[in-house]
Amino acid sequence: MTTTTANPDVATSARERAAELARVRADFPLLTRQVNGHDLVYLDWGATSQKPECVIDAEQDFYLTANAAVHRGAHTLAAEATELFEDARRVVADFVGADDDEIVWTSNATAAINLVAYAMSNATAGRGGVAAQRFALASGDEIVVSELEHHANLVPWQELAARTGAVIRPLPATDEGRLDVGALETVVGERTRLVAVTHASNVTGAVTDVAAVVDRAHAVGALVVLDACQSVPHLGVDLHALDVDFAAFSGHKMLGPTGIGVLYGRRALLEALPPVTTGGSMVEVVTMTEATYLPPPQRFEAGTQMVAQTVGLRAAAQFLSDLGMDAVAAHEQELTAHLLAGIAQVPHVRVLGPTQAVDRLGVVAFEVDGVHPHDVGQVLDAAGVAVRVGHHCAQPIHRRLGVASSTRASVGVATTTAELDVFLDALAGVRAYFGLATS
Amino acid sequence: MSGLEQLYQQVILDHARERHGEGLLDADPGAAMVGESFQVNPTCGDEVRLRVQLADAPDGGSPVIEHVSWDGVGCSISRASLSVLTDLVEKGSVRDADALSETFRALMSNRGAPLPLEQEETLGDAAVFVGVARFPARIKCALLGWMALRDAVAKALTGPTA
């Protein structure tokens, strides 16, 4: 994209930003590779992000210099590894506006949400004593889940409902692919015990009005569980300011390693929540018949932890902090606007979700009339462009928007407008490849 | 030939456009051996519902596949595969369809290499799917219809379910 301007300051700052982007890009070794004879254009950041060298190095350095079991053993290496593990927790907590004892390591975001759902089951079964009774569900209690959810923030609640006699109440989406905030008043009511919503849809990119959800849920005494997988890597997220009760996000989508996710829980809630996975590292006193449990977060971290991954995730959070999440969000908003404007120029392509880059992330799903997403993705792949095809683990919102599946392009910190133009060129040729009209 | 052309051979593109067997047919009145199968591809949410009507062979041998019909949502590979399958197995015997199905599976496991000539010849138009086996993510697309066929025939042979 070329911009002409009479203002030399603006021109300079555009040049500086281009130079900064080139520096950021140089940190991602994988982005230099070729695919099918073309420079890779990676537009699948919403599925998983590529990793900057500092994250790869951090994980490797841990194994080369500091590997030991954490929270056990008194030798120097064990103490150093424990310090790195807990330091990662501090940095990640700080990155999302939480306190460090409110951050529980999990294997991924799906595990984080399942942890809450199974802990509520255990509370329903009477585990966790009187304090945990606030999580117990009774027959006829309601769990409100938005229609925009990834299966990870839907299926665990269906299972919880089946185990407890609670019922799922859907919170509808609008035709534009946003949460229908107007429906909160009627859907969230006296029987609502929990509201599960995404901070940003992984299909429509719509950013949720979290304050409206929290206000209504808290007014009726319900908990809010936020899926922050798409928001944490792309927006500055302050969980205390959002005032949600639980939140989940994954490491691998925010430039970190696979195998690490985060459950955030408000301190008072985590203290009252019974454990789910039990065993070593989460207990105080164990006899042959019973055990007492450590306070959170250790209560929820049974067994040997994924220490190297936490160290890698720390490096990722630090990398994003150094860039500044305001700068990341501004860069990606510019990309989103470019992407949406470009797709609007391609005939027979319909965007699923808001068509303006307002309260919207750069995860853009679309359908090409007459061409199945698998076929769209295949033609793009032949041009070196990596996109996601299918239902993106979110069948209900696809059904709501009248399609079975879609093609999705999603941007990240290292994406350039030149890459988007390669994608848009390839997209413009898709229908022609299958013998369909292109105008 | 580019990778894309190995995948989307002209025969496949033609069958994806002009599909044979699409649109579920009601069974003939009094037909005894009717079976239906519903298959999904969980990675993309594609679905196919396929119905077969069988008849006893005049010589008392393997039953004959009278009709194949199907409906579904799918990509060009899965729909072309269903269309080709319809042409190949309709009016043939269940035994021949089973053999064809096995050969097609062998082709899909062959990483893009053709099968020995005597096997390949039995595949007819289905041989053009050879390139699909070079794209592991697409093999399931090509097999979806064949899985539905096998299931539907098995159901037709075990008789009407109450």
Side-chain angles (χ1 to χ4, degrees):
Chain A
M1 194 165 65
T2 56
T3 49
T4 52
T5 172
N7 185 337
D9 290 345
V10 173
T12 308
S13 98
R15 262 201 305 279
E16 279 168 3
R17 279 186 295 142
E20 167 71 4
L21 179 55
R23 275 194 299 276
V24 170
R25 222 178 142 73
D27 285 325
F28 291 81
L30 189 141
L31 295 179
T32 60
R33 73 163 277 185
Q34 299 263 303
V35 167
N36 295 325
H38 299 272
D39 290 341
L40 168 66
V41 171
Y42 187 75
L43 294 178
D44 201 14
W45 293 83
T48 198
S49 61
Q50 296 304 341
K51 319 303 175 196
E53 214 156 359
C54 63
V55 168
I56 301 165
D57 288 348
E59 215 175 325
Q60 174 166 300
D61 287 350
F62 174 79
Y63 284 122
L64 290 175
T65 65
N67 179 52
V70 301
H71 285 303
R72 64 195 78 180
H75 58 77
T76 302
L77 216 49
E80 282 178 15
T82 303
E83 176 51 28
L84 285 168
F85 183 65
E86 291 303 327
D87 183 54
R89 198 190 307 272
R90 277 190 290 277
V91 170
V92 170
D94 197 45
F95 183 68
V96 293
D99 294 333
D100 50 3
D101 57 354
E102 296 175 316
I103 296 295
V104 176
W105 300 125
T106 62
S107 54
N108 51 43
T110 301
I113 294 170
N114 273 279
L115 195 165
V116 178
Y118 277 96
M120 290 181 74
S121 261
N122 289 347
T124 307
R127 300 300 301 153
V130 177
Q133 280 309 296
R134 64 190 300 173
F135 301 111
L137 295 180
S139 180
D141 279 348
E142 294 174 357
I143 300 171
V144 171
V145 183
S146 103
E147 220 175 357
L148 288 146
E149 296 317 298
H150 186 285
H151 298 159
N153 202 22
L154 168 58
V155 182
W157 306 121
Q158 293 174 346
E159 283 291 316
L160 175 63
R163 290 192 301 271
T164 58
V167 292
I168 301 288
R169 289 203 66 186
L171 191 55
T174 65
D175 293 345
E176 201 197 10
R178 290 190 184 279
L179 187 72
D180 184 359
V181 175
L184 281 166
E185 197 69 24
T186 50
V187 176
V188 179
E190 291 306 316
R191 293 304 306 263
T192 306
R193 302 295 311 283
L194 183 142
V195 180
V197 288
T198 185
H199 196 181
S201 163
N202 74 317
V203 175
T204 71
V207 177
T208 304
D209 180 355
V210 177
V213 176
V214 167
D215 283 353
R216 180 60 189 159
H218 287 175
V220 301
L223 298 166
V224 174
V225 177
L226 188 74
D227 171 358
C229 287
Q230 293 296 330
S231 56
V232 165
H234 305 287
L235 300 169
V237 171
D238 183 334
L239 291 171
H240 281 171
L242 287 171
D243 203 25
V244 295
D245 300 294
F246 293 101
F249 56 96
S250 47
H252 72 96
K253 289 191 205 291
M254 56 176 285
L255 318 184
T258 53
I260 182 77
V262 173
L263 171 67
Y264 159 82
R266 200 191 284 282
R267 181 184 289 107
L269 293 176
L270 286 182
E271 280 170 356
L273 199 67
V276 173
T277 305
T278 55
S281 305
M282 49 77 71
V283 287
E284 291 168 338
V285 179
V286 181
T287 70
M288 280 312 292
T289 51
E290 57 190 11
T292 59
Y293 304 124
L294 285 166
Q298 276 74 31
R299 185 190 302 160
F300 306 103
E301 296 176 353
T304 297
Q305 293 294 295
M306 49 305 247
V307 187
Q309 288 91 328
T310 67
V311 173
L313 184 56
R314 179 202 188 283
Q318 195 61 56
F319 181 89
L320 286 168
S321 292
D322 291 348
L323 289 177
M325 286 311 289
D326 286 348
V328 168
H331 168 60
E332 293 186 11
Q333 193 189 14
E334 204 175 297
L335 294 170
T336 307
H338 188 82
L339 191 53
L340 289 168
I343 292 175
Q345 297 301 309
V346 184
H348 309 288
V349 176
R350 173 173 77 113
V351 167
L352 308 176
T355 52
Q356 301 298 317
V358 179
D359 292 330
R360 188 204 210 289
L361 295 181
V363 36
V364 180
F366 55 88
E367 65 162 338
V368 178
D369 186 30
V371 187
H372 188 277
H374 259 178
D375 297 320
V376 175
Q378 202 79 59
V379 174
L380 296 177
D381 184 61
V385 179
V387 295
R388 175 93 184 253
V389 298
H391 50 59
H392 325 314
C393 300
Q395 291 179 23
I397 187 62
H398 277 91
R399 214 168 284 128
R400 168 65 179 85
L401 297 175
V403 291
S405 58
S406 64
T407 310
R408 184 186 74 182
S410 53
V411 306
V413 284
T415 304
T416 66
T417 48
E419 284 185 298
L420 297 182
D421 290 339
V422 172
F423 157 74
L424 291 166
D425 274 354
L427 179 64
V430 165
R431 273 178 56 96
Y433 188 84
F434 293 100
L436 299 169
T438 53
S439 58
Chain B
M1 204 169 7
S2 79
L4 210 52
E5 281 155 3
Q6 287 175 4
L7 179 65
Y8 295 116
Q9 303 228 9
Q10 195 56 46
V11 175
I12 293 180
L13 292 175
D14 289 347
H15 271 279
R17 258 197 304 273
E18 300 287 331
R19 299 179 288 277
H20 300 171
E22 191 180 27
L24 279 179
L25 293 178
D26 288 335
D28 293 337
M33 291 188 286
V34 177
E36 185 177 298
S37 175
F38 179 70
Q39 299 285 329
V40 297
N41 185 347
T43 60
C44 56
D46 287 354
E47 352 180 298
V48 61
R49 190 178 296 280
L50 181 143
R51 196 176 285 165
V52 294
Q53 180 181 320
L54 310 183
D56 287 323
D59 61 358
S62 174
V64 173
I65 300 175
E66 292 271 283
H67 303 300
V68 177
S69 64
W70 55 271
D71 235 329
V73 179
C75 64
S76 59
I77 301 295
S78 76
R79 284 146 75 94
S81 187
L82 277 153
S83 177
V84 168
L85 164 165
T86 303
D87 286 355
L88 288 174
V89 306
E90 219 168 37
K91 306 301 176 200
S93 71
V94 165
R95 191 180 46 229
D96 288 349
D98 283 346
L100 204 55
S101 171
E102 282 313 306
T103 310
F104 191 75
R105 274 161 208 277
L107 183 72
M108 288 300 102
S109 331
N110 219 31
R111 298 168 184 272
L115 294 174
L117 198 60
E118 67 275 16
Q119 271 187 298
E120 190 179 299
E121 277 172 346
T122 67
L123 282 173
D125 272 358
V128 301
F129 288 84
V130 58
V132 175
R134 297 171 63 105
F135 296 83
R138 305 304 297 274
I139 292 172
K140 182 77 191 282
C141 311
L143 284 175
L144 198 65
W146 291 93
M147 290 165 64
L149 176 71
R150 187 154 75 175
D151 187 41
V153 166
K155 284 177 176 160
L157 289 174
T158 54
T161 48

